[in-house]
């Protein structure tokens, strides 16, 4: 029977409320909480006699605690029902249509659903007289002194030429902390060894309920209006009308709001906001659709605690809890072993996740995840999934800490560990290896000379990692390195996929990169191998032959030096012009280049010092014909000295194409906007980079004036 477990369900929701609101330490995701609540409402809908006064459904939020004076809202502060799918949204429209059969077309205001804390602001004759939290929807807490510390909330409404200051105005909205402010807030909390906040919403709600307004004043709180409370002395017909008017009176409103008039447009709004979620400066967890016209709202009415004329369309949950089924170590092309949690598959942000990286052994130590543990994972936008919390309270007694392997799972070689403080940089830009004696760090020898003592300026390794001590005799390292070597941006060899590489390794045809070129001498044997046709071998061999003539930058990139990507490879090629100059560059030569920091320089030095790499290069280089770098004259590099940033969605050119083009003309293309940026090329939906460029007064062009810019670049700076 459906009512079974009703009591248990109520208790479980109460416990989660306590963890969330009082302890500030939720142990399930918001989505799972919503699911429990939904179950409760379903049972109560079917069996209304069961409902008790103390059911979690009978209160909207939390009961005010002592410390603040209670305040009864003149009109209840309602909450919103949720939908999660277009089908459920359709039901919402059907319910509305039932109540307004005579109306065919009506406006709907679409808004982002902000993830902060709801408040009500009361202005009398233009002056802010009260700021009240939502509380349980009926009674809130008077937090006026705290609200008055929030800079975006006017203490006095702005005079407007077209609107008289109303006698009474009650505005509802969300107090929030922007993503950027939140990260600054937590960074400084970390520095001062204070407690960090779980998320911007908890930080905003907590800050609002500080008994000392001086503390609230130090928190970066902001406000955006999203609801109408009441008014006197001003005529308002709809929500949109309300937002336009209060905006003229100086109240922050949401510029992402949009008026539409059908369900399809609501869904397009939802998709668009979801797509741009990362770029929106504050956290949102969905969108809200509201019937715009006040008279229609009245006709449509309410269902207990929420209006029937509004609904929240929630985004797929970004957090979910699941079980760790196994933890093992993956070997990359550099030999580094990355711990990976194998999870019971779970859907997060619309994607099924079954693996989750644990990054490095420091992270393993910090989180202490164990097989059998219940964990909360998070996947925001395109970001790779992370374990954000291990539910230690649900851990089995016999669970075991993850054992760091002492031998490589692929080849059995010894595992070596590099500690967070193993490498550093001396004042004089020299790289040193460090020894740690307890808490004392001593830089013990200069990497390219005899042991010396140095004063350390910077530690390069920020996290500890473990590595297979072997070289290409480890099949996983060899496979990873070869896959990278033949990839499109490196030697671009067609027909050498992972599986063929594995087969050729097994058959002993390939022991390192140089052997790829030796395949050309084994045409007949290869053609006779199982699964390899004459035609495919023909294509493969001609692709290999073609690839022999290679740009210096691609050759550098193909080696897979840790953290040396395409752009760094190109910089190295342009700076040193010949391969052996890169190979024998000193730490100081490297670090003197604009775009190379101490960590990347250290990686390059370490790579070329490895005796195995030296011998590999002796075999590989004779196979290749490295194209000379053309020294371009100033005439050929009209964009020399230009630092350009690309942002937003480009439609006329592909991003790679445009980047290549700009670099060929002498420009430097960087990924972030700074004072040094000369020009920003902005496509559609450009977000924070464009804003930063505007703030710094940097010139911005779009794709349409790109051609004009190339004709006369100086005109644009
Ligand atoms: S309207 C009558 N609009 O969601 C409807 N609420 O579950 C009252 N929220 O307490 C709310 N963004 O804290 C509304 N654009 C938005 C919102 C929004 C966030 C929060 C608000 C409210 C809760 C309702």
């Amino acid at each position: 029977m459906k009512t079974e477990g009703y009591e248990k369900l109520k208790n479980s929701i109460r416990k989660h409320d306590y963890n969330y609101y009082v302890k500030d330490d939720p142990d399930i995701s918001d989505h799972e909480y919503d699911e429990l609540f939904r179950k409760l409402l379903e049972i109560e809908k079917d069996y209304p006699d069961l409902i008790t006064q103390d059911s979690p459904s009978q209160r909207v939020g939390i009961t005010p605690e002592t410390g603040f004076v209670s305040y009864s809202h003149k009109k209840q502060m309602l909450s919103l029902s949720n939908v999660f799918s277009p089908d459920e949204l359709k039901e919402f429209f059907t319910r509305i249509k039932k109540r307004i059969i005579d109306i065919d077309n009506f406006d709907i205001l679409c808004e982002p659903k902000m993830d902060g804390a709801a408040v009500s602001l009361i202005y009398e004759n233009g002056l802010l007289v009260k700021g009240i939290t939502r509380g349980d929807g009926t009674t809130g807490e008077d937090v006026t002194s705290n609200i008055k510390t929030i800079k975006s909330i006017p203490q006095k409404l702005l005079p407007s030429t077209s609107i008289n200051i109303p006698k009474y105005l009650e505005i509802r909205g969300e107090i929030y902390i922007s993503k950027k402010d939140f990260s600054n807030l937590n960074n400084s909390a970390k520095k001062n060894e204070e407690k960090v906040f779980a998320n911007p919403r908890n930080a905003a709600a907590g800050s609002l309920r500080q008994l000392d307004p001086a503390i609230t004043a130090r928190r970066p709180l902001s406000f955006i209006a999203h609801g109408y409370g009441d008014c006197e002395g001003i005529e308002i017909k709809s929500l949109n009308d309300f937002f336009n008017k209060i905006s003229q009176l100086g109240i922050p409103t949401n510029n992402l709001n949009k008026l539409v008039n059908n369900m399809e447009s609501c869904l397009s709004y939802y998709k668009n906001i979801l797509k741009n979620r990362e770029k929106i400066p504050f956290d949102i967890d969905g969108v809200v659709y509201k019937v715009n016209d006040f008279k229609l709202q009245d006709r449509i009415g309410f269902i207990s605690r929420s209006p029937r004329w509004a609904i929240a369309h929630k985004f797929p949950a970004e957090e979910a809890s699941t079980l760790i089924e196994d933890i093992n170590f993956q070997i990359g092309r550099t030999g580094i072993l990355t711990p990976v949690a194998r999870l019971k598959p779970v859907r997060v942000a619309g994607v099924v996740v079954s693996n989750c990286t644990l990054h490095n052994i420091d992270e393993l130590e910090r989180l202490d995840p164990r097989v059998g543990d219940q964990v909360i994972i998070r996947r925001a936008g395109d970001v790779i999934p992370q374990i954000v919390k291990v539910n230690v309270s649900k851990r089995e007694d016999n669970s075991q800490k993850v054992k760091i392997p002492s031998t490589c799972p692929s080849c059995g070689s010894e595992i070596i560990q590099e500690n967070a403080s193993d490498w550093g940089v001396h004042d004089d830009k020299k790289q040193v290896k460090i020894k740690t004696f307890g808490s004392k760090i001593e830089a013990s020898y200069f990497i390219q000379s005899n042991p010396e003592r140095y004063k350390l300026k910077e530690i390069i390794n920020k996290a500890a990692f473990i590595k297979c001590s072997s070289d290409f005799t480890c099949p996983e390292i060899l496979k990873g390195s070869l896959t990278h070597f033949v990839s499109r941006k490196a030697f671009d060899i067609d027909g050498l996929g992972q599986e063929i590489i594995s087969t050729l390794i097994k058959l002993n045809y390939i022991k390192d990169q140089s052997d790829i070129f030796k395949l050309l001498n084994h045409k007949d044997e290869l053609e006779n191998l199982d699964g390899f046709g004459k035609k495919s071998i023909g294509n493969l061999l001609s692709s290999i032959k073609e690839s022999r003539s290679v740009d210096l930058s691609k050759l550098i990139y193909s080696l897979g030096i840790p953290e040396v990507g395409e752009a760094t490879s190109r910089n190295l090629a342009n700076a040193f012009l010949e391969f052996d100059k890169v190979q024998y560059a000193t730490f100081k030569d490297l670090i003197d280049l604009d775009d190379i920091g101490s960590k990347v320089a250290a990686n390059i030095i370490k790579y070329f010092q490895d005796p195995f790499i030296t011998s590999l290069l002796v075999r590989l280089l004779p196979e290749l014909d490295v194209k000379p770098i053309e020294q371009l004259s100033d005439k050929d590099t009209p964009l020399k000295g230009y630092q350009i940033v690309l942002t937003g969605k480009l439609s006329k050119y592909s991003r790679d194409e445009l980047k290549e083009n700009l670099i060929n003309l002498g420009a430097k293309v960087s990924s972030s906007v700074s004072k040094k940026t000369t020009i920003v090329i902005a496509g559609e939906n450009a977000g924070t980079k464009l804003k930063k460029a505007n703030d710094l007064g940097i010139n911005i062009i779009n794709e349409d004036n790109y051609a004009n810019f190339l004709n006369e670049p100086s005109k644009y700076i």
Side-chain angles (χ1 to χ4, degrees), residues 414-431:
E414 191 199 346
I415 292 291
I416 44 175
Q417 176 163 342
E418 289 230 344
N419 290 314
S421 54
D422 269 356
W423 296 92
V425 182
H426 171 243
D427 283 11
D428 197 24
K429 292 187 176 173
K430 285 174 180 164
Q431 187 202 1

Side-chain angles (χ1 to χ4, degrees), residues 78-80 111-118 134 173-174 226-227 288 290 307 309-310:
L78 299 163
S79 68
L80 293 162
E111 302 172 16
K113 185 167 191 306
M114 305 185 60
D115 206 3
R134 173 160 165 251
E174 205 82 347
H226 57 53
V288 186
K290 298 171 184 170
W309 47 262

Side-chain angles (χ1 to χ4, degrees), residues 75 105 132 157 226 549 672 696:
K75 274 190 192 162
N105 215 328
I132 316 290
L157 294 177
H226 57 53
S549 157
S672 59
L696 293 173

Side-chain angles (χ1 to χ4, degrees), residues 108-125:
I108 302 140
L109 189 66
C110 305
E111 302 172 16
K113 185 167 191 306
M114 305 185 60
D115 206 3
V119 290
S120 179
L121 308 179
I122 299 175
Y123 286 87
E124 282 174 7
N125 298 315

Side-chain angles (χ1 to χ4, degrees), residues 460 561-565 568-569 572 587 590-591 595-607:
I460 306 173
I561 307 167
E563 290 179 75
V564 175
T568 310
S569 304
L572 288 168
F587 188 72
L590 292 165
I591 211 171
D595 287 333
I596 294 192
S598 39
K599 178 118 192 263
V600 174
N603 285 340
I604 298 171
I605 296 281
K606 261 191 261 177
Y607 179 84

